[in-house]
Amino acid sequence: LRPGEGGGFPWTTFWVNVTGCFLIGVLMVLVTEVRTPHRLVRPFLGTGVLGGFTTFSTYAVDIERLLDAGRPRTAFAYLAATLLAALAVVWAAVALTRACARRVRPGTVAAAGDGDRP
């Protein structure tokens, strides 16, 4: 039985995508603020590895299946929860990684909210 089959909330896909977004937040701080790796590290790890780990295409298919199964409330809840959770964990990962990096190497990472960092 496929996760989320039968019109239930697709928890497996939800948690995979949320975890991937957290890891992307960590990665972006590490490769843009902590270290200066080779220019291909960011797209390789971000788009390649973590893009392959997350499954936003399945997210879209799951929404369509929920709608086809007559579960528009579940589909909307899934759509909104995934979007909000993904954005929240990226923000949390960035803040947490910056805080950890400052403790390890004070003065090497901009504080969250500084004007010189996105």
Side-chain angles (χ1 to χ4, degrees), residues 1 7 15 19 33-34 38-39 57-58 64 68 76 82 92 95-97 99 103 105-106 108 114:
L1 187 66
W15 287 114
T19 301
E33 299 177 22
V34 175
H38 187 277
R39 64 183 182 85
S57 57
T58 301
E64 181 181 21
D68 289 346
F76 180 75
T82 300
L96 180 63
T97 305
R103 286 182 176 218
R105 296 173 50 187
T108 60
D114 283 357

Side-chain angles (χ1 to χ4, degrees), residues 9-19 55 62 78 81-83 85-86:
F9 195 93
W11 287 108
T12 304
T13 305
F14 175 83
W15 287 114
V16 166
N17 286 335
V18 169
T19 301
T55 178
D62 284 343
Y78 177 50
T82 300
L83 177 62

Side-chain angles (χ1 to χ4, degrees), residues 8-104:
F9 195 93
W11 287 108
T12 304
T13 305
F14 175 83
W15 287 114
V16 166
N17 286 335
V18 169
T19 301
C21 286
F22 183 87
L23 295 172
I24 287 169
V26 170
L27 173 70
M28 289 303 110
V29 171
L30 294 178
V31 301
T32 62
E33 299 177 22
V34 175
R35 299 261 186 217
T36 308
H38 187 277
R39 64 183 182 85
L40 297 178
V41 168
R42 181 174 158 182
F44 171 73
L45 293 176
T47 305
V49 175
L50 293 175
F53 174 75
T54 58
T55 178
F56 282 95
S57 57
T58 301
Y59 164 67
V61 170
D62 284 343
I63 292 167
E64 181 181 21
R65 287 184 178 160
L66 287 166
L67 291 171
D68 289 346
R71 306 288 311 263
R73 289 183 190 169
T74 304
F76 180 75
Y78 177 50
L79 185 144
T82 300
L83 177 62
L84 294 174
L87 292 172
V89 299
V90 167
W91 177 85
V94 166
L96 180 63
T97 305
R98 283 178 175 161
C100 290
R102 276 194 300 274
R103 286 182 176 218
V104 172

